[in-house]
Amino acid sequence: HGSRKRHPRARTGQRALPVFLGGGSMSKASPKEPAKPRKPAKGKQPRKEPPSPEMRHVYSWDEFEGIKSRAACALDRVEFLAKSMDKFTEFKIDEARHQELILRQRSTPALHLQTALDKSKPGASRVFDKQRALLMDFGTSTKRLDVMNKYVFDQEGRKGKPELQAAKLASKNTKPTEKAYPLYTDLYDRPMREEGQRRMASSLAVMVPLPYEPPESALRHGMGAALRASGTPKGSDSKGKTA
């Protein structure tokens, strides 16, 4: 029996490491390579570094009070439009129910229905007028500004007494920005789209990821060659409104 030659590492009890685990000389450690900067993934923008404190704009008290004034006005108008939308929806529901009763129970439904339709626009305008009067009597914009001031006073008071006095002095003459509430006629007569552009697709009553946009071929289906060449969608009148 010939003698077997054993690996030098086997004599000392050390196991040979594979190459991908750093096998080779155990006494000399391989030098670490410097970390390479990661490249941004495809389709993703590289993350921007936050601006340093020296580059940030320091707002004065006058600028800060102007921001509060405009914010109070904007929030008040958002509340007006949201509440008016709810009231208008209830108004249209009652109007549709009334018109249904006219068609089912009246002996001359066409005459009574026309009378109800003539009262529709003035009734819708009164919905907006009542909501406008309610907000103006309650002073919602001023109350919103007062809440903002209390928050600022609380935050500045934690920093110190001079900061609190400065905040109170700056807000002494601040008032909400005055901007009239929109009328019903302003919203009704507002164009749905710019001249020469398609109207946006109507929203559905259910939640969907994306609104449905009909293709261009569907808008011109069944039209003659002259109308198709003019680029006017089917169902549009001379004023650009689509039925």
Side-chain angles (χ1 to χ4, degrees), residues 38-48:
R38 295 182 178 181
K39 296 181 179 180
K42 293 183 178 181
K44 293 185 179 180
Q45 296 294 335
R47 182 179 298 179
K48 295 182 179 180

Side-chain angles (χ1 to χ4, degrees), residues 81-98:
L81 293 173
K83 293 295 183 181
S84 300
M85 180 183 65
D86 296 339
K87 296 294 184 181
F88 184 73
T89 302
E90 296 175 0
F91 167 77
K92 297 302 291 184
I93 292 174
D94 295 338
E95 183 184 55
R97 185 182 297 111
H98 178 62

Side-chain angles (χ1 to χ4, degrees), residues 104-177:
R104 293 174 58 185
Q105 299 178 359
R106 295 288 183 176
S107 58
T108 56
L111 180 61
H112 292 86
L113 181 61
Q114 184 62 44
T115 304
L117 292 176
D118 293 339
K119 297 179 180 179
S120 177
K121 188 174 181 180
S125 181
R126 284 193 297 270
V127 172
F128 283 76
D129 294 341
K130 290 180 180 179
Q131 186 64 25
R132 184 186 307 103
L134 178 63
L135 295 184
M136 293 181 66
D137 294 342
F138 193 68
T140 53
S141 59
T142 303
K143 294 182 182 298
R144 291 181 187 278
L145 185 60
D146 293 340
V147 174
M148 292 182 184
N149 289 333
K150 290 180 181 179
Y151 176 79
V152 174
F153 296 161
D154 179 69
Q155 296 297 317
E156 294 297 324
R158 297 180 182 180
K159 299 178 182 179
K161 190 174 182 179
E163 287 80 0
L164 177 59
Q165 294 297 330
K168 290 183 177 180
L169 182 62
S171 63
K172 189 175 182 180
N173 298 324
T174 304
K175 296 181 180 180
T177 303

